[in-house]
């Protein structure tokens, strides 16, 4: 019996510690605790960059002002930039969310849980709504004030069937 206890301490405890050291970071990477899931924000913006990463694809965008007449700016005149995290690039590509489908300049709306620390970044909830382009001018048709791309006739959804 004493041998079993000794073996447990010499093999079992170090093995448990190694497991905790290597598994905990992997699990914490996929934690959504940093996002405030009690808050949902809906934003409309212009794609600045699509970042295709294995772990999480991201879209970085410049916010459009609520009146939809210009890009949103801070008090010191800088554009208001946001980012949205999604599933990995391969997974979102299967949903039609790619750099080709969302090139720089695309106007879209996203529903997300924002970061708890107040930074301009969030985790996507549901589909992305893409505003359509005017066939004559090729410029995006913008939603009315305080509305989003899902309200514009001809808008398309990617990554889901409801916005």
């Amino acid at each position: 019996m004493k041998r079993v206890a000794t073996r447990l301490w010499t093999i079992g405890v170090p093995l448990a510690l190694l497991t905790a050291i290597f598994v905990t970071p992997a699990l914490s990477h996929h934690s959504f605790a940093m996002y405030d899931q009690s808050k949902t924000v809906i934003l409309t913006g212009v794609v600045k960059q699509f970042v295709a990463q294995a772990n999480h694809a991201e879209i970085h965008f410049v916010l459009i002002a609520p009146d939809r007449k210009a890009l949103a700016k801070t008090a010191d005149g800088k554009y208001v930039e946001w980012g949205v995290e999604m599933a990995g690039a391969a997974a979102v590509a299967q949903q039609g969310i790619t750099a080709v489908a969302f090139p720089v300049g695309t106007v879209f709306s996203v529903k997300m849980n924002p970061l708890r620390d107040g930074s301009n970044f969030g985790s996507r909830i549901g589909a992305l709504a893409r505003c359509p382009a005017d066939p004559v001018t090729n410029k995006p048709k913008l939603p009315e004030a305080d509305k989003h791309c899902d309200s514009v006739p001809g808008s398309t959804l990617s990554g889901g069937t409801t916005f």
Side-chain angles (χ1 to χ4, degrees):
M1 191 62 132
K2 193 172 187 180
R3 280 186 130 156
V4 173
T6 303
R7 192 168 262 166
L8 178 65
W9 278 101
T10 58
I11 295 173
V13 172
L15 185 61
L17 287 172
L18 285 172
T19 301
I21 289 169
F22 290 106
V23 172
T24 302
L27 292 175
S28 66
H29 169 82
H30 291 282
S31 171
F32 287 92
M34 59 197 221
Y35 298 105
D36 188 344
Q37 295 183 32
S38 69
K39 291 182 184 174
T40 300
V41 295
I42 303 173
L43 302 173
T44 298
V46 180
V47 174
K48 180 179 177 184
Q49 180 183 21
F50 185 95
V51 181
Q53 302 176 92
N55 291 331
H56 298 283
E58 299 174 357
I59 297 178
H60 298 260
F61 59 98
V62 178
L63 198 62
I64 297 177
D67 66 5
R68 304 297 184 232
K69 295 184 181 194
L71 295 175
K73 292 185 178 182
T74 62
D76 60 354
K78 294 181 182 176
Y79 291 116
V80 178
E81 295 186 21
W82 275 78
V84 61
E85 178 182 85
M86 301 171 283
V92 296
Q94 290 177 338
Q95 300 171 7
I97 303 171
T98 64
V100 172
F102 287 84
V104 172
T106 301
V107 176
F108 77 106
S109 298
V110 60
K111 191 182 298 187
M112 68 172 93
N113 295 125
L115 283 172
R116 289 184 186 278
D117 70 3
S119 299
N120 290 354
F121 202 84
S123 177
R124 182 188 88 163
I125 304 170
L128 299 177
R130 196 173 16 201
C131 284
D134 183 292
V136 176
T137 64
N138 206 28
K139 292 183 179 180
K141 294 181 183 178
L142 298 177
E144 294 178 17
D146 295 317
K147 301 263 183 188
H148 302 284
C149 290
D150 63 312
S151 68
V152 179
S155 65
T156 55
L157 298 179
S158 298
T161 55
T162 57
F163 183 74

